[in-house]
Amino acid sequence: MTLKTVIHALVTGFEPFGVPRPSDNRSWEAVKQLAGQTVETKDATVVCHCHQLPVSYDDVLALVPPLHLGAEFGIVVHCGAGAPGMVRLEKRAHRTGYTRPGNKGPQDLPSGGCVPGYGTADELATAVDVDGLCRRLGERGWRSVQASSDAGHYLCDFTYYISLAESETTYPARQLPAPHTLFVHVHPQADDVYSDAQLAELLREIVRQLAQGQF
């Protein structure tokens, strides 16, 4: 009997945000269904570590880097609420341009509108072949998924940049391979394109495809 490789995946969604504050956030409603679960491939068992992130720059900066340092993730999938009508897989993240306050009010902004603490480029691209992944998902029946190059310059983009910067800095410093890192924007309203259960299954399929190492 061949033993499977064990891969640890960080999967996150966000708390509700906006004024008036809604009761839930589609991203977390989908992500929380993966909590404590595994995703199986032919050669690997992926253990999902699910976390709800606050919609606050300081809090995300305090939480996300330690999550990376406290584990050896092979996959990182952040999920957030985006525009209606489609699920969007983001190709890149940005260090600058953060002018929209988080949930804590007008003071909830990063200094200078920038992600602090990294000597990385102003724009970081994921190593994941997003276009190829979208095609594969389409072949498997997920027709309402497309690639995007604009993660929004808000907490989603901010979080994505941090994880991409971590993959370029702290993982090599620990002599670890960089994780397959991706941001998934889901539609903000329930049952727009997919139900919460369907979004959770889409996330499982994305994790499965990333674990197979083809993208």
Side-chain angles (χ1 to χ4, degrees):
M1 180 177 178
T2 302
L3 292 178
K4 287 187 174 184
T5 300
V6 176
I7 301 172
H8 293 275
L10 173 62
V11 189
T12 72
F14 283 98
E15 69 179 358
F17 69 97
V19 178
R21 191 70 46 82
S23 61
D24 55 26
N25 185 312
R26 290 275 69 68
S27 66
W28 179 243
E29 293 306 302
V31 167
K32 71 182 183 182
Q33 297 182 55
L34 277 66
Q37 293 192 3
T38 59
V39 177
E40 301 292 337
T41 73
K42 178 182 177 182
D43 300 314
T45 295
V46 185
V47 181
C48 295
H49 303 263
C50 298
H51 295 267
Q52 185 184 55
L53 298 180
V55 180
S56 168
Y57 295 97
D58 285 346
D59 290 345
V60 163
L61 193 62
L63 288 171
V64 173
L67 285 175
H68 284 281
L69 291 173
E72 298 180 11
F73 292 116
I75 295 170
V76 175
V77 177
H78 295 300
C79 187
M86 294 290 288
V87 172
R88 294 169 174 85
L89 310 187
E90 301 295 343
K91 292 184 174 183
R92 54 184 55 89
H94 306 88
R95 188 176 67 86
T96 63
Y98 297 98
T99 59
R100 182 182 172 191
N103 273 349
K104 291 183 177 180
Q107 78 283 2
D108 188 1
L109 287 167
S111 178
C114 300
V115 180
Y118 298 99
T120 41
D122 283 352
E123 186 176 284
L124 296 179
T126 179
V128 174
D129 177 4
V130 173
D131 291 320
L133 178 55
C134 286
R135 286 193 296 271
R136 175 60 61 82
L137 292 170
E139 292 168 358
R140 298 183 68 83
W142 300 100
R143 308 293 184 188
S144 297
V145 180
Q146 67 182 21
S148 168
S149 295
D150 182 6
H153 290 91
Y154 192 45
L155 265 300
C156 296
D157 205 339
F158 189 85
T159 301
Y160 197 18
Y161 187 93
I162 290 172
S163 281
L164 289 172
E166 288 288 325
S167 74
E168 285 196 5
T169 56
T170 61
Y171 281 82
R174 291 185 288 159
Q175 298 183 322
L176 297 172
H180 301 288
T181 303
L182 186 66
F183 198 99
V184 180
H185 265 127
V186 302
H187 45 76
Q189 301 299 323
D191 300 316
D192 177 340
V193 177
Y194 300 120
S195 67
D196 290 343
Q198 287 172 315
L199 287 174
E201 186 54 41
L202 173 57
L203 293 177
R204 288 188 191 95
E205 184 60 30
I206 288 171
V207 168
R208 185 178 296 112
Q209 294 295 329
L210 294 178
Q212 291 173 171
Q214 299 176 353
F215 300 101

